[in-house]
Amino acid sequence: MFGICIVDRINIKGLEMMGFVNVLGLSEGTGVRWDEICELREGSRRFGRCGARDRTRCRLEVDGSGGGGGETVEGRASASSEAEWKFFDRARLYVKGGDGGNGCVAFRREKGIAKGGPAGGNGGGGGTVYLVADKGKNTLARFRGRVHFRGHPGKNGQGKGRHGVAGKDEVVTVPLGTVVRDEKGELIGDLCVDGQRLAVARGGRGGRGNEAFKSDRDVAPRFSENGETGEEHWLNLELKLVADIGIIGVPNAGKSTLLRKVSNAKPDVADYPFTTVIPTLGMCDLNWFDLEGRSLVFADIPGLLEGAHDGKGLGVAFLRHIERCRILIHLVSGASEDPVGDYEAINQELELFSPGLVDKPQVVLINKVDIPEVKEKVGEIEAGLRSKMSHKRLAVISAASGEGIPTVIKRLVKLVESMPQDELNVLITEEEIREREERRAAEEKEFTVTTEGPNRFRVNGVMVERVVKMTNWDYVDGLDRLQRVLEASGVNKALTKAGAVDGDAVTISGYEFSFYGNENVFTAMAIQEGYTD
């Protein structure tokens, strides 16, 4: 059981929080250390921050399992749910392709045309669900209210050879850097390029009309196909923001202030840690700094502190976004009690989360040089950092006043332009997706035969089940064609090998019918009745 205390923020400064009521056995005004309350979902205390238009509220959840249970005290304002302040970088979607339209059985009957022949049109194909990368989006928040996406079904075929209209595709836009997995966790796609499309639920094929089955063997077919059912499944989406430069550092180092200075982004800025609780993207127009070239995309990555890889602070929630950044700005607060220690702690967290992150190019910036106390000891801080750095990319700036920022931007532009364009850590390429589809098509032809009892058998397989579902059982000629397909695909041979004889019951995808070893159902039934040549 958890007791929830919700209070207005009376004062949050440095590493102190004041004004909590007596839930932890503390008197009002007692200081509480940030590292004690900033563990999300772990430990006996959990902290969440809810933004409001005119004030900031805090929520402190206290483990009340030890004797007497937890207390609940509500302040003047109600708590926002955790989902309201959380950055939406994960989502779960249900997608279904549209069903194909049914084929039509019809014959051409017009005055003056004898024996017009079959004229049943094909059904239209179902619409496919596509995920499309859009550089104008940066969260998966739109999927909070809608999770079901379906392609439109195809129309049925009609007489006079008229084919059904294909169903409309469903296009779902997602941010750049969206990783798509199925329910089993298998990687389906990685959308990193603007406009990149990924088919996640293909529409069903339209059923063929009897005109399509006309041949020298059967000049007047009296059967058609049903439309194929569209694919359907649940997907798990995970967002890894794509940016040129990621800004990292301990809480209250000035990351959001720097982002506001170099772009039009407006993240929250205040004099207490964890002001920013979601990653924020900002576009830096190089014309502001008298430079030519494309704009730079900056990402403010919040919530990094010692123990982040283990769940402290905002935990690993946003560490994944650093993987997509090509360059990292490591912002060190000159006003910190131990700037060098902060630098080492963040680098250690990067390595513990993913060893490859340490190898990303870093630019170390000492911030808050506009403070006189920091200006006096900046030389000492520089010497300490250089002793720990494996490169020479170090500069001194003031994010608040803008001192040193134009020079840093010019150097960042040169560094970005010197790097290869494909440094996006793409998890799966288009070629790998095509190879996977080819392997899946080959696997669909496989099937298994199991014995369920005396004279009863069951056949399982993607392709054979699709053929049975698309068979129109209203027409005897359709059953004859199904028998020929089973013979050609090797199903009859496998059933015979399993001990099936004519007349035994066979179940495929919920449909039960009698087995006949001969490919022609009429011939097989005649032989079973004793009629032979």
Side-chain angles (χ1 to χ4, degrees):
M1 179 187 293
F2 286 90
I4 302 179
C5 169
I6 305 164
V7 297
D8 290 338
R9 178 177 59 83
I10 296 178
N11 182 25
I12 304 177
K13 188 174 183 180
L15 296 179
E16 286 189 342
M17 293 189 63
M18 312 285 287
F20 283 109
V21 294
N22 189 18
V23 176
L24 291 174
L26 303 174
S27 60
E28 185 173 356
T30 302
V32 182
R33 285 171 39 190
W34 273 89
D35 58 358
E36 289 180 346
I37 64 172
C38 288
E39 295 187 2
L40 288 176
R41 303 185 180 277
E42 290 190 21
S44 61
R45 306 182 185 95
R46 299 185 292 173
F47 172 75
R49 205 179 137 267
C50 305
R53 183 169 299 178
D54 55 348
R55 60 180 62 184
T56 300
R57 299 187 302 271
C58 298
R59 183 178 67 189
L60 179 63
E61 299 185 8
V62 187
D63 189 354
S65 59
E71 300 179 37
T72 300
V73 182
E74 293 191 4
R76 288 170 293 177
S78 62
S80 299
S81 66
E82 190 172 339
E84 288 177 349
W85 66 269
K86 187 182 293 183
F87 179 70
F88 282 84
D89 60 354
R90 290 179 183 271
R92 191 164 181 260
L93 304 183
Y94 169 84
V95 291
K96 183 185 185 306
D99 296 338
N102 297 332
C104 175
V105 175
F107 291 88
R108 188 179 181 187
R109 294 182 175 89
E110 297 180 26
K111 182 179 179 181
I113 301 178
K115 300 180 180 179
N122 302 335
T128 298
V129 180
Y130 290 96
L131 296 184
V132 180
D134 183 359
K135 65 180 180 181
K137 299 184 180 298
N138 57 9
T139 76
L140 300 174
R142 63 168 298 197
F143 304 120
R144 175 172 55 176
R146 181 186 177 189
V147 297
H148 295 84
F149 296 90
R150 297 177 174 88
H152 293 253
K155 301 296 183 180
N156 295 336
Q158 300 181 34
K160 297 184 178 180
R162 291 174 293 179
H163 302 314
V165 178
K168 183 181 178 182
D169 295 333
E170 180 73 12
V171 178
V172 184
T173 55
V174 295
L176 295 182
T178 300
V179 178
V180 187
R181 301 180 187 274
D182 60 16
E183 282 193 290
K184 298 179 181 178
E186 182 181 354
L187 183 64
I188 296 178
D190 190 1
L191 301 169
C192 292
V193 181
D194 186 40
Q196 184 178 355
R197 294 165 65 94
L198 176 67
V200 292
R202 296 194 179 277
R205 178 166 57 87
R208 287 173 288 181
N210 65 334
E211 185 179 24
F213 291 105
K214 180 180 178 181
S215 64
D216 293 338
R217 176 179 177 176
D218 189 356
V219 295
R222 289 175 172 80
F223 66 93
S224 63
E225 284 181 329
N226 293 328
E228 180 186 5
T229 303
E231 296 178 353
E232 60 177 322
H233 40 254
W234 285 89
L235 299 175
N236 293 315
L237 306 187
E238 177 182 311
L239 175 61
K240 295 183 179 181
L241 290 178
V242 176
D244 296 307
I245 300 169
I247 307 175
I248 62 174
V250 297
N252 213 29
K255 301 184 295 295
S256 297
T257 304
L258 177 59
L259 184 64
R260 291 173 70 104
K261 202 69 177 179
V262 300
S263 72
N264 275 328
K266 303 298 180 186
D268 293 337
V269 174
D271 62 347
Y272 54 87
F274 291 101
T275 310
T276 305
V277 294
I278 63 172
T280 306
L281 288 178
M283 186 75 71
C284 176
D285 189 346
L286 298 184
N287 292 326
W288 297 349
F289 302 95
D290 298 325
L291 295 173
E292 295 181 356
R294 68 181 185 87
S295 300
L296 293 180
V297 179
F298 284 76
D300 174 12
I301 311 295
L304 296 187
L305 47 71
E306 189 172 359
H309 77 283
D310 218 12
K312 276 195 173 183
L314 298 179
V316 300
F318 305 132
L319 277 170
R320 72 176 69 91
H321 297 295
I322 303 175
E323 294 178 323
R324 299 289 195 189
C325 299
R326 300 169 68 189
I327 298 173
L328 299 179
I329 288 181
H330 195 145
L331 203 61
V332 178
S333 174
S336 171
E337 294 181 1
D338 185 9
V340 179
D342 292 345
Y343 171 78
E344 291 185 297
I346 296 299
N347 278 340
Q348 183 180 16
E349 292 306 314
L350 297 181
E351 185 174 10
L352 290 173
F353 176 75
S354 176
L357 293 180
V358 182
D359 299 329
K360 280 189 175 293
Q362 284 193 17
V363 176
V364 182
L365 302 180
I366 303 174
N367 190 25
K368 303 186 180 181
V369 72
D370 55 311
I371 302 176
E373 294 80 4
V374 175
K375 204 162 202 174
E376 292 176 0
K377 60 178 183 179
V378 69
E380 179 184 344
I381 298 174
E382 281 190 77
L385 290 173
R386 289 190 185 278
S387 65
K388 303 296 182 180
M389 293 165 51
S390 59
H391 55 85
K392 299 180 180 180
R393 295 184 291 273
L394 176 64
V396 178
I397 68 164
S398 169
S401 66
E403 180 181 346
I405 291 181
T407 302
V408 170
I409 293 296
K410 292 177 183 179
R411 293 180 179 178
L412 286 173
V413 170
K414 292 181 180 179
L415 184 58
V416 170
E417 290 177 347
S418 66
M419 297 183 63
Q421 291 292 327
D422 57 351
E423 290 289 329
L424 288 178
N425 194 22
V426 178
L427 301 180
I428 185 170
T429 63
E430 294 286 348
E431 184 178 352
E432 290 173 331
I433 293 176
R434 285 194 296 269
E435 292 177 354
R436 184 194 61 204
E437 292 297 324
E438 292 174 358
R439 289 195 302 270
R440 190 181 73 165
E443 293 172 355
E444 287 181 352
K445 297 179 181 180
E446 300 175 358
F447 61 88
T448 58
V449 177
T450 56
T451 303
E452 293 190 327
N455 304 322
R456 299 189 68 86
F457 300 87
R458 179 177 294 275
V459 180
N460 294 308
V462 176
M463 189 191 75
V464 66
E465 290 180 10
R466 181 187 300 134
V467 171
V468 170
K469 288 179 181 179
M470 294 183 69
T471 297
N472 192 331
W473 296 78
D474 295 335
Y475 298 95
V476 177
D477 287 10
L479 303 183
D480 183 30
R481 176 182 177 273
L482 172 62
Q483 195 71 22
R484 295 197 301 270
V485 173
L486 296 179
E487 177 67 26
S489 60
V491 174
N492 283 354
K493 185 177 181 181
L495 285 168
T496 302
K497 187 176 181 180
V501 297
D502 289 353
D504 287 352
V506 177
T507 302
I508 303 178
S509 188
Y511 293 87
E512 184 174 304
F513 55 93
S514 298
F515 167 73
Y516 295 103
N518 193 292
E519 69 172 29
N520 188 297
V521 63
F522 301 109
T523 302
M525 293 174 66
I527 293 175
Q528 189 179 23
E529 294 293 331
Y531 295 98
T532 58
D533 292 337

